[in-house]
Amino acid sequence: MEEEKKIFIDKGLSLRSEEVNEVMGNVPHRVFRIGTFIFICIVALLVAIGYTLQVPNYIEVPYIVSGNTSAIGIVSKNAGIVMFRYNQPHNINEGDTIATVMNGNDSVYSISPIRGIVENNFLYTTGDNIVRGDTLARVISCELPNYRLILKISRNIKSEILCGMKIKIITKETMTENAVGYIKKISVIPDEANCYNAVVEMPINIIQNLPRFGKARVLYKQENVFTKIFAHRNKSAFE
């Protein structure tokens, strides 16, 4: 039975012409051309996306938060007898006299440098003798501290940092999505630590909640996907 079936199949194949067998054994040219065209389109689309899609590159830079103090100590510039203008905490304007120190015929006035609330040093009262350098009072400013975020840029990356660049702050206490700012200006001359200072423009409510020092991510350039991949491979090869 199996031999008869095999003979039948062989006869069926032998009945086909040589042209039919050739067509059945080869892929039609039209199908091949369409498949090749679709493959080329897919590759071209991926290449276009790779060159169009930009990947951000960041540099980590140390930062510090600086700001004027909310309280300023008033220090005596000479020795003598102190005469306070008021004995209780009170409001004071910039330029008002806080105390007068008299030494013989000489009188030296202690002037408030800011507007705020003055508190006398409770160790002294009017008529006490003081020496030069004693703290007479402190003035608590009515103004909010002028916080500034400053990046410390080393010489080797100075050329990569420009005004207008976007930065993000990296800290455990801060949400990086919110802590975003831009470089406002960069010093021309390096400081005593041989670093250039870059002032960052950022909302004051974010700066005042940042740690006093940390690291910031500076978006210094954008590259397409292929450039990023090839640069990473070259770097890995050299390492």
Side-chain angles (χ1 to χ4, degrees):
M1 185 69 179
E2 292 180 357
E3 291 181 357
E4 291 178 357
K5 185 177 181 180
K6 184 176 180 182
I7 292 171
F8 177 78
I9 293 172
D10 290 341
K11 286 183 178 180
L13 292 174
S14 62
L15 291 176
R16 296 192 183 101
S17 64
E18 183 178 354
E19 289 79 6
V20 173
N21 289 331
E22 183 177 356
V23 171
M24 292 180 64
N26 296 327
V27 179
H29 294 292
R30 184 177 180 183
V31 175
F32 179 77
R33 289 196 299 270
I34 294 175
T36 303
F37 177 75
I38 293 175
F39 176 77
I40 292 174
C41 289
I42 293 174
V43 173
L45 180 62
L46 292 175
V47 171
I49 293 175
Y51 276 103
T52 304
L53 186 62
Q54 298 293 311
V55 179
N57 279 343
Y58 292 92
I59 296 178
E60 288 194 3
V61 180
Y63 77 84
I64 60 171
V65 176
S66 67
N68 59 347
T69 57
S70 58
I72 299 176
I74 306 300
V75 179
S76 176
K77 297 181 180 179
N78 66 331
I81 298 174
V82 63
M83 303 293 292
F84 290 106
R85 184 176 179 184
Y86 300 99
N87 294 323
Q88 300 296 328
H90 61 280
N91 294 325
I92 194 169
N93 293 319
E94 181 180 352
D96 287 351
T97 300
I98 296 174
T100 304
V101 178
M102 298 181 294
N103 189 349
N105 294 326
D106 296 330
S107 297
V108 177
Y109 299 94
S110 296
I111 306 300
S112 176
I114 59 174
R115 183 176 66 88
I117 299 174
V118 63
E119 293 180 346
N120 297 345
N121 188 339
F122 296 111
L123 296 176
Y124 306 111
T125 60
T126 297
D128 288 345
N129 284 301
I130 62 170
V131 298
R132 181 178 181 180
D134 281 348
T135 300
L136 303 178
R138 70 169 184 165
V139 181
I140 303 173
S141 175
C142 293
E143 305 293 337
L144 290 175
N146 183 23
Y147 290 106
R148 291 200 309 167
L149 180 64
I150 300 176
L151 302 182
K152 308 298 288 186
I153 302 172
S154 59
R155 283 181 175 269
N156 59 332
I157 62 171
K158 171 64 169 59
S159 59
E160 302 286 349
I161 308 299
L162 301 172
C163 291
M165 283 185 169
K166 182 179 179 180
I167 71 163
K168 287 186 177 182
I169 303 300
I170 308 170
T171 63
K172 294 180 180 179
E173 299 84 358
T174 306
M175 297 296 292
T176 55
E177 290 79 7
N178 298 327
V180 177
Y182 297 89
I183 297 178
K184 186 176 181 180
K185 61 180 179 180
I186 305 173
S187 64
V188 179
I189 301 173
D191 58 15
E192 63 277 1
N194 205 22
C195 291
Y196 293 88
N197 294 324
V199 179
V200 176
E201 187 176 284
M202 183 176 288
I204 188 67
N205 62 322
I206 294 179
I207 297 178
Q208 66 183 3
N209 292 323
L210 290 175
R212 291 302 177 185
F213 57 89
K215 285 191 175 181
R217 298 176 69 194
V218 180
L219 177 60
Y220 72 102
K221 66 178 178 180
Q222 289 186 333
E223 296 176 330
N224 60 57
V225 175
F226 290 108
T227 304
K228 183 78 172 177
I229 293 174
F230 293 147
H232 180 71
R233 286 184 176 180
N234 293 335
K235 184 178 179 181
S236 300
F238 282 112
E239 291 178 353

